[in-house]
Amino acid sequence: VRLAGFRLIEAGLPENLDVDCQPSFFSVFAVWTLSGLLGLVHMLQLASKTGATLADLGKGDLASNVLASAAKFEENLRNVDDPQNMHQQSIAQATVVYYCSRMEAAWKEGNDSVAQYMLRNITENNVERLAHLSARDRELLASKVLEIGRSLLTGGGRDNEKKIEARAEEAVTWLQKAFSLAEHLDDTLTAGAAELKRCILRSLARAYVLSSSLNAENLARAETALNELLDSIPPDNKDVAHQEMRWWKLAVLKRRNAPEDALFETFRSIIDHMEFTEDNINNILLDLRTLPHHQLVIKVIQMCLRAGLVAVNGSGLPFVERLLLAIIFHSSRDADHDRAMRDLRETFLVLESAEFELPKIGATACLMLFYQCGERKRSLKRCSEAVEWFLLGTRRAFSSVADTCASKCFRKAAICHIEQEEYAQASAIIRHCPGEEAATHYLTFLVAVKQAIRAVRAMVHGSCFDQRMLLMATRLAHESDLKSVLLSVLQELLEFVRAGKTTEMNVEPITLVRCMIRLVLRLIADPANAGEKDALIDELTRHFATAIALVDAACKEKRVSLVIKDVSWLWRTAYNCAAQGCAEWDNAEERVPPLFDMSRELLETYLETALEVDEEMHLCVVFSSFAAASARVFALRKLEPHMVNSDKLEFTAHEIQTCEERLRKTVEKGVISSNNIPRVTQCLGILLIFEAELACRMKEWQVIPKVIQKVAQCQAPLCDTFEAIADMLWSAQACPLDGAGTGQAILHASLDRKALSVEKFARWLRAICTMLLARNTAPDRLKAIGYIEQAIVVLEEHGGDDNSDETYPMDERYWLLTSSYNTGIECLHVCLLDDARRWFEASSRICRYVPDGALRANKVCHPSCLLTLFSSPPWN
């Protein structure tokens, strides 16, 4: 209808208008309702609006035709004079409507260059024209430009193939123009001006952020736009869209690496306009996890906690527990312990000033974090820091669980003070615990014992010290069954006696050492001392070392006979402790070797002095030495490869060789009966395996043949020892030794000692022959046939059909047959007739000991006959 009306009006216009829009006959215009200039204005507006309407309806061709007519009207209007400037506003309005219609139509047709050209005509080419527009017209114009900018950001049904960054960069131009049009609008004159500005700023900020990857300066522009937008929002406005802009601002600041103050203020704005919901709290905490500023994280969570405590209708109270846990978690990761404690105390002061009491579940969760942090600090020997963590659990905010947990926190803190030997502080903390709990009384007792030990040590070095004080302290500790105190007293008494300061006490130092060893053994056996077991074992080892020093001094003074009973008790106790430790102690392979060595040294001293000795004592020397060496090898095996250095390997190898010599000398002395010789020989075989193992680890390959020779020289067969050495050499990748040669040496040594069963002999011979034949050289084939013939000799003795252990295995017989026959065929192919005959003869002999031997022998004899024919002298 609008198009038809426009065409009718256009058809009624005079046809002979000149370029100045002046009629040839002025009377024609008399029929117009308005003057000629205003008529052009109205026609331009009508054409522009008609074209815009057609463009909105998707009729681009018709719209272009109408707008072409509008272009003529605009050109004529541009050439019309307005001497008195009475119609400038109307002209400006009509011209802007025309440009705006052309801009929209071009944009919808996808002609971006024309659309931008029309935009420049509106905003840049004639600034005075914009000054004549009314506020309402400027607002409508800015809205249309905003709409185009928004469509670029959202895709708007076109340019979807472009990346969002490129579209955002184009949208920036349009949105900037939109804001320049709306910037000077008076909010009081038009109702929607303020909201229009906010919409433009919101879209402009989004475009700046999205295009910042192409232009880094747009991040700063985005921050400026967001600041201006947020400043225009009333303080009590909690619209979701505006809250989203605050999050956008936070994201922009984080990308710009803004200072902490700016980030904090943005978080403050978010929290002040936030409703306390699960999603909002999650967003706050998740966003804080990405910040590297620890102190900022704590301040923001504390601010959120304060806001939650005073939120309307208590909407923030359900989240106080979670926020507190977040503060505790972040504080536990703070490297500055004092700052972490300061933050936590400040947080609890906020809770206590609001008289907020945590529920039992939340309080228990917080206490579990305190326990974990405290125990971690305690394990790192930072007990003073652990104390502060434990004492946090006694704050008023945890009143709901104070009856069950407060005393536990106090006791944990007291234990930390005890470990630091701060007994006065421990006693002061224990006094806060309820008096009816047994654990409290135990700690009181423990503090008293520790203080008693300290007092004994200080008493000896104090002025006016009397020797009888130590005896009285010993008696009192013994009567009270205070083992730790008694041990400390005896230690001081021993040092006093060894220093020669005593004049009134007739006490043997070695007797004191025996008493201390007994006490330490009781303490080790007490389950209550499980945490101090390692320290007690080290102390036990030191006491035995002291005993050896005292025995050596007695030997030098030729009065060892006076302490011979003590020596007997000491070596037996050391031996039994080490044997028990092998089964019960952690890392026994590292702790028992010194005890076994000291037991052996004491026993050797006893054997040199005692008049009556039995065979078991000599066996104990053997087993002590063997156990110490074995434990050292096991300790090396447990270590990571990078932790094993050459010094450890050489020391262990030396200990094994020393032990081996000790065992040989013991056997040579004839003090071991024939019944026990195999036991000692078995130990010796294991030591030789250890020696070979260490030689492989140290890559001292020249030692291996010597070890094999030592095994061969043993009085009893050691087949397992040979096999273990062979396995090590086989698995050693860098072993330069000849596998076949080593195997031959082991096989010969085993045969000489008759240490191999028939089955193992067959397996070893097969392995050796396989390696020899694989080399495919004449000397190696000669060695191989020798072994095959040796196997035939064994077959003649053990070739029965029964399945006993001394019967040659059937699969090995088949292997001997096929290998002999195939090797003979290979020799025949290369014309080694003598070698081939020898192999065929061996295979024919083996046929006697396999099923269907006669049939197989006929097959073997065929090439054998050919050999006889070819090798006989030619006929004359």
Side-chain angles (χ1 to χ4, degrees):
V1 174
R2 178 171 289 185
L3 175 62
F6 169 74
R7 290 304 184 190
L8 288 173
I9 296 173
E10 185 181 27
L13 290 177
E15 297 180 358
N16 52 349
L17 292 173
D18 58 12
V19 294
D20 295 329
C21 197
Q22 297 295 330
S24 300
F25 301 97
F26 189 78
S27 60
V28 175
F29 286 93
V31 299
W32 289 13
T33 306
L34 301 174
S35 64
L37 186 146
L38 291 179
L40 276 178
V41 169
H42 285 296
M43 288 304 298
L44 179 58
Q45 289 179 336
L46 181 60
S48 300
K49 293 177 180 179
T50 303
T53 302
L54 292 172
D56 290 339
L57 295 175
K59 298 179 179 181
D61 295 337
L62 292 175
S64 299
N65 191 5
V66 172
L67 290 174
S69 300
K72 296 178 182 179
F73 292 132
E74 189 273 337
E75 183 179 0
N76 291 333
L77 184 61
R78 193 168 56 243
N79 295 324
V80 170
D81 292 331
D82 184 15
Q84 298 179 358
N85 294 330
M86 296 177 59
H87 305 290
Q88 290 301 310
Q89 184 174 1
S90 300
I91 295 173
Q93 185 179 12
T95 305
V96 169
V97 170
Y98 162 71
Y99 285 137
C100 187
S101 300
R102 288 289 304 273
M103 176 184 70
E104 288 184 280
W107 172 255
K108 290 172 183 176
E109 291 176 0
N111 196 340
D112 295 351
S113 58
V114 172
Q116 292 176 0
Y117 173 73
M118 293 302 168
L119 177 64
R120 287 195 297 271
N121 283 336
I122 295 172
T123 58
E124 296 178 7
N125 293 347
N126 194 337
V127 180
E128 294 180 358
R129 182 188 301 130
L130 291 176
H132 293 296
L133 290 179
S134 64
R136 178 60 181 167
D137 292 336
R138 291 176 68 96
E139 182 179 346
L140 291 175
L141 179 59
S143 300
K144 292 183 179 296
V145 178
L146 170 62
E147 184 180 355
I148 294 177
R150 276 181 171 176
S151 65
L152 276 170
L153 285 178
T154 59
R158 47 164 295 188
D159 288 340
N160 289 329
E161 68 279 359
K162 284 188 179 181
K163 292 185 177 180
I164 183 62
E165 294 84 356
R167 288 191 279 112
E169 184 71 13
E170 293 179 15
V172 165
T173 303
W174 290 90
L175 295 171
Q176 285 175 339
K177 296 297 185 182
F179 186 73
S180 66
L181 290 171
E183 184 177 11
H184 301 293
L185 290 176
D186 190 349
D187 299 346
T188 60
L189 297 179
T190 55
E195 186 59 30
L196 175 63
K197 291 179 184 178
R198 284 195 283 268
C199 291
I200 296 174
L201 287 171
R202 195 157 45 236
S203 299
L204 185 58
R206 184 164 177 245
Y208 279 140
V209 173
L210 294 176
S211 63
S212 60
S213 59
L214 301 178
N215 187 355
E217 295 180 358
N218 281 351
L219 276 179
R221 298 188 181 104
E223 181 182 355
T224 303
L226 288 169
N227 287 334
E228 189 168 350
L229 170 63
L230 295 174
D231 290 342
S232 67
I233 299 173
D236 56 345
N237 190 321
K238 294 188 177 182
D239 186 31
V240 176
H242 297 154
Q243 186 73 342
E244 183 181 357
M245 290 300 102
R246 295 185 181 95
W247 282 106
W248 274 84
K249 180 181 177 181
L250 180 62
V252 169
L253 291 175
K254 288 167 64 176
R255 289 181 60 181
R256 294 192 63 201
N257 296 321
E260 293 187 26
D261 293 342
L263 292 171
F264 180 75
E265 290 302 323
T266 305
F267 272 112
R268 181 194 295 277
S269 177
I270 292 173
I271 293 172
D272 290 343
H273 297 84
M274 177 185 72
E275 293 183 3
F276 278 85
T277 62
E278 188 75 22
D279 291 339
N280 287 337
I281 296 298
N282 286 341
N283 291 336
I284 290 285
L285 295 179
L286 288 175
D287 205 88
L288 288 173
R289 290 177 61 181
T290 63
L291 291 178
H293 312 291
H294 171 80
Q295 198 60 26
L296 174 63
V297 172
I298 296 295
K299 289 169 63 178
V300 171
I301 301 178
Q302 286 178 339
M303 179 173 57
C304 195
L305 180 68
R306 292 189 185 94
L309 290 171
V310 297
V312 179
N313 299 325
S315 60
L317 295 180
F319 305 102
V320 171
E321 170 189 339
R322 185 175 178 186
L323 294 171
L324 178 60
L325 285 170
I327 293 175
I328 296 172
F329 174 75
H330 285 287
S331 297
S332 66
R333 302 174 63 184
D334 193 352
D336 190 340
H337 173 75
D338 293 336
R339 183 174 62 191
M341 289 295 106
R342 190 165 55 250
D343 293 336
L344 287 172
R345 292 191 192 100
E346 181 180 348
T347 302
F348 284 116
L349 285 176
V350 171
L351 294 176
E352 291 164 2
S353 62
E355 298 182 354
F356 181 83
E357 181 180 310
L358 286 167
K360 289 187 177 181
I361 295 178
T364 304
C366 293
L367 290 174
M368 292 301 297
L369 282 178
F370 293 154
Y371 295 160
Q372 291 176 5
C373 295
E375 293 296 342
R376 185 169 64 250
K377 298 288 186 181
R378 181 184 170 192
S379 64
L380 296 174
K381 304 301 181 183
R382 295 156 71 174
C383 293
S384 59
E385 297 179 4
V387 168
E388 295 190 77
W389 277 104
F390 289 134
L391 291 181
L392 286 173
T394 63
R395 305 286 303 207
R396 277 192 302 159
F398 304 106
S399 301
S400 59
V401 292
D403 296 340
T404 56
C405 298
S407 58
K408 184 177 180 179
C409 294
F410 280 124
R411 285 195 292 269
K412 284 181 174 291
I415 290 173
C416 292
H417 280 303
I418 292 172
E419 290 180 356
Q420 284 191 303
E421 299 183 358
E422 298 171 348
Y423 305 121
Q425 293 90 326
S427 298
I429 289 179
I430 291 172
R431 282 194 288 272
H432 291 86
C433 299
E436 66 274 7
E437 295 182 357
T440 302
H441 293 294
Y442 172 77
L443 282 182
T444 304
F445 167 75
L446 183 61
V447 171
V449 170
K450 296 291 185 180
Q451 287 177 322
I453 294 173
R454 175 186 284 182
V456 169
R457 293 172 180 170
M459 176 183 67
V460 175
H461 302 285
S463 58
C464 303
F465 169 66
D466 191 343
Q467 304 168 16
R468 290 170 294 182
M469 294 179 182
L470 274 177
L471 296 179
M472 291 297 295
T474 304
R475 178 180 176 182
L476 180 61
H478 178 67
E479 292 176 351
S480 303
D481 196 23
L482 300 176
K483 297 182 182 65
S484 299
V485 178
L486 182 58
L487 184 63
S488 178
V489 173
L490 291 176
Q491 181 67 41
E492 296 297 333
L493 185 59
L494 174 63
E495 293 179 3
F496 195 76
V497 172
R498 292 185 68 185
K501 299 178 181 179
T502 178
T503 57
E504 301 180 5
M505 292 183 291
N506 186 15
V507 181
E508 280 291 340
I510 199 167
T511 304
L512 294 175
V513 172
R514 287 181 57 181
C515 292
M516 287 188 288
I517 290 174
R518 285 196 186 98
L519 281 173
V520 173
L521 290 175
R522 291 180 185 177
L523 291 172
I524 292 175
D526 188 355
N529 298 319
E532 301 179 359
K533 194 170 185 177
D534 292 342
L536 291 172
I537 293 172
D538 293 338
E539 188 171 357
L540 178 68
T541 305
R542 289 196 299 271
H543 291 325
F544 275 114
T546 303
I548 289 179
L550 293 173
V551 171
D552 290 342
C555 291
K556 292 179 182 178
E557 297 173 1
K558 300 189 182 299
R559 57 182 186 88
V560 68
S561 57
L562 300 178
V563 294
I564 193 65
K565 292 184 178 180
D566 298 309
V567 175
S568 176
W569 183 90
L570 286 168
W571 80 258
R572 294 176 193 276
T573 304
Y575 186 87
N576 292 334
C577 286
Q580 185 178 3
C582 291
E584 298 179 359
W585 294 350
D586 295 333
N587 298 323
E589 59 277 0
E590 297 178 2
R591 298 185 177 279
V592 298
L595 290 175
F596 276 123
D597 286 338
M598 289 186 285
S599 172
R600 175 186 51 77
E601 292 178 22
L602 290 167
L603 180 53
E604 287 174 347
T605 302
Y606 181 83
L607 292 175
E608 293 174 359
T609 308
L611 299 177
E612 295 182 4
V613 296
D614 55 16
E615 182 185 5
E616 288 297 327
M617 293 184 180
H618 292 286
L619 286 176
C620 285
V621 171
V622 171
F623 296 148
S624 295
S625 183
F626 172 73
S630 301
R632 290 187 172 96
V633 174
F634 296 151
L636 281 178
R637 290 176 180 176
K638 281 186 66 175
L639 295 176
E640 297 292 335
H642 64 87
M643 300 174 63
V644 180
N645 53 37
S646 59
D647 293 338
K648 290 182 180 179
L649 292 173
E650 291 174 359
F651 172 77
T652 307
H654 175 72
E655 290 295 317
I656 290 173
Q657 293 172 1
T658 303
C659 179
E660 178 191 337
E661 294 174 2
R662 187 177 295 113
L663 266 61
R664 292 184 186 279
K665 290 180 180 178
T666 302
V667 173
E668 291 172 358
K669 288 179 182 178
V671 294
I672 306 298
S673 64
S674 58
N675 294 333
N676 290 318
I677 286 293
R679 299 169 66 187
V680 179
T681 305
Q682 186 178 10
C683 294
L684 187 59
I686 296 174
L687 288 173
L688 292 172
I689 294 174
F690 290 157
E691 186 175 356
E693 176 184 349
L694 291 175
C696 290
R697 296 185 71 170
M698 293 188 293
K699 296 181 173 49
E700 295 182 356
W701 309 111
Q702 71 279 5
V703 176
I704 302 299
K706 298 178 183 178
V707 174
I708 296 173
Q709 188 64 27
K710 290 180 183 178
V711 178
Q713 293 174 356
C714 288
Q715 297 180 4
L718 295 172
C719 177
D720 293 338
T721 304
F722 284 128
E723 290 188 3
I725 295 174
D727 289 340
M728 281 188 290
L729 295 176
W730 187 266
S731 60
Q733 298 180 354
C735 178
L737 295 178
D738 181 4
T742 306
Q744 293 173 52
I746 294 175
L747 183 61
H748 284 302
S750 300
L751 291 174
D752 293 342
R753 305 296 302 162
K754 295 182 180 181
L756 281 179
S757 64
V758 174
E759 181 181 1
K760 290 186 176 180
F761 166 81
R763 309 296 185 201
W764 274 94
L765 185 138
R766 179 176 181 174
I768 294 171
C769 290
T770 300
M771 287 186 283
L772 290 172
L773 292 175
R775 296 174 180 172
N776 199 24
T777 63
D780 289 320
R781 280 197 300 271
L782 185 61
K783 291 181 182 179
I785 190 60
Y787 283 113
I788 297 293
E789 291 171 348
Q790 178 66 37
I792 294 173
V793 174
V794 177
L795 267 174
E796 292 174 352
E797 298 179 9
H798 304 280
D801 295 332
D802 56 338
N803 295 324
S804 63
D805 294 338
E806 295 302 319
T807 301
Y808 207 98
M810 188 58 66
D811 59 332
E812 298 297 335
R813 302 183 194 186
Y814 280 117
W815 181 86
L816 289 172
L817 176 60
T818 55
S819 297
S820 301
Y821 183 78
N822 291 335
T823 307
I825 293 294
E826 291 176 2
C827 292
L828 182 61
H829 286 167
V830 294
C831 298
L832 298 175
L833 303 183
D834 292 337
D835 291 349
R837 182 188 298 108
R838 190 173 177 183
W839 283 102
F840 285 134
E841 290 174 353
S843 61
S844 63
R845 293 173 62 187
I846 297 170
C847 288
R848 305 173 193 170
Y849 306 101
V850 297
D852 298 331
L855 181 61
R856 298 176 187 275
N858 290 333
K859 182 178 179 181
V860 172
C861 288
H862 175 67
S864 180
C865 293
L866 292 176
L867 284 174
T868 303
L869 178 63
F870 291 149
S871 60
S872 60
W875 291 337
N876 295 324

